[in-house]
Amino acid sequence: TFLSYLWGSVISLSSSSFTQATPEPGVSTITASVNAVIGRQEETEEAFRVRRKRSIENPAQSTNGAIYAKMAQLAGVTDLQVYDNQTSVYEAARNLNAHTMWVVIEGGSLDDIGEVMAKQRLGGTKGTVDVTYTDTLAKPNGTPVSIISEAKIQRPTYKNLYIRLTATQRISGSAVDIVAIKAKLGLFSVEIGVPVPAGELYEFSYIDNFNYIVSALDVSLDGITWTDQEVSPNYEGKFVIDAANITVTEVII
């Protein structure tokens, strides 16, 4: 995971080389094997305020609260969910083994995340990304010794959200600004693991000084099967709203 210190997306193709900022023993070169996935823009002020409110939970109250609070305050973290099976039996709904935590986190350095996991988590962890934290200590005779703590976390799986709606003119001859409608819908706030109800998108389908009436707003996971209820990205998923996946049908009166 790389954090950009310049505005805008950073494009990195396969075979690109990187210069190490922190030398590691045995590593002489770093070369990308695949094209990098362009990251997401930083969160809006509204999203930041929501995340900050969640992050100020007193860590002394619960292990989960402590981990969420510390993760949410890490540099570069824009979204996260902390799932935990505190029981002694397997949980099928979230595919979590007993006494296992599943952290799905967007952004942030793996080193910082690994430190929080090592210092706060007591049980097992689930995920596809390995994180570590190294304690440098000294034996009774003064010889230095390193103890490595390992854990797993999950990066979110980005999924396209398909939207379709009908915009009927209110004034004859007044064209509907379809481009602006799509741009407004793109401002809808999405979170990891949080379903999107179709009804909540109506508010974001009206632009300033709108001259149309919205109806038949549906959402879909694949652009084939539609619903006017809600769709879920699953626990590890996060929706992406792209203008290319929004269909606005204009009805002229």
Side-chain angles (χ1 to χ4, degrees), residues 19 26 35 45 61 96 108 115 130 133 135 147 172 176 186 191 221 251:
T19 301
N35 294 345
E45 182 178 349
Q61 297 299 314
L96 276 177
E115 180 176 356
D130 295 320
Y133 176 72
D135 277 312
I147 299 177
S172 179
V176 175
E191 297 181 32
L221 295 173
V251 175

Side-chain angles (χ1 to χ4, degrees), residues 27-57:
V27 179
S28 57
T29 60
I30 300 176
T31 304
S33 59
V34 297
N35 294 345
V37 177
I38 296 178
R40 298 170 59 83
Q41 294 181 351
E42 290 186 349
E43 61 197 330
T44 63
E45 182 178 349
E46 291 79 7
F48 168 76
R49 291 181 182 277
V50 172
R51 183 169 64 85
R52 181 185 180 278
K53 181 178 180 181
R54 292 178 179 176
S55 73
I56 58 177
E57 177 180 354

Side-chain angles (χ1 to χ4, degrees), residues 178-222:
I178 294 177
V179 174
I181 294 175
K182 293 183 177 183
K184 183 69 178 294
L185 283 167
L187 299 178
F188 183 82
S189 177
V190 293
E191 297 181 32
I192 296 171
V194 177
V196 173
E200 291 188 5
L201 292 171
Y202 273 98
E203 176 185 353
F204 287 82
S205 63
Y206 285 99
I207 62 176
D208 293 339
N209 300 318
F210 62 91
N211 60 334
Y212 53 89
I213 298 175
V214 174
S215 61
L217 195 155
D218 297 323
V219 289
S220 171
L221 295 173
D222 55 13

Side-chain angles (χ1 to χ4, degrees), residues 150-163:
E150 299 178 343
K152 292 183 178 295
I153 59 109
Q154 182 83 41
R155 291 302 193 186
T157 300
Y158 296 109
K159 301 181 178 182
N160 288 321
L161 176 64
Y162 294 85
I163 304 170

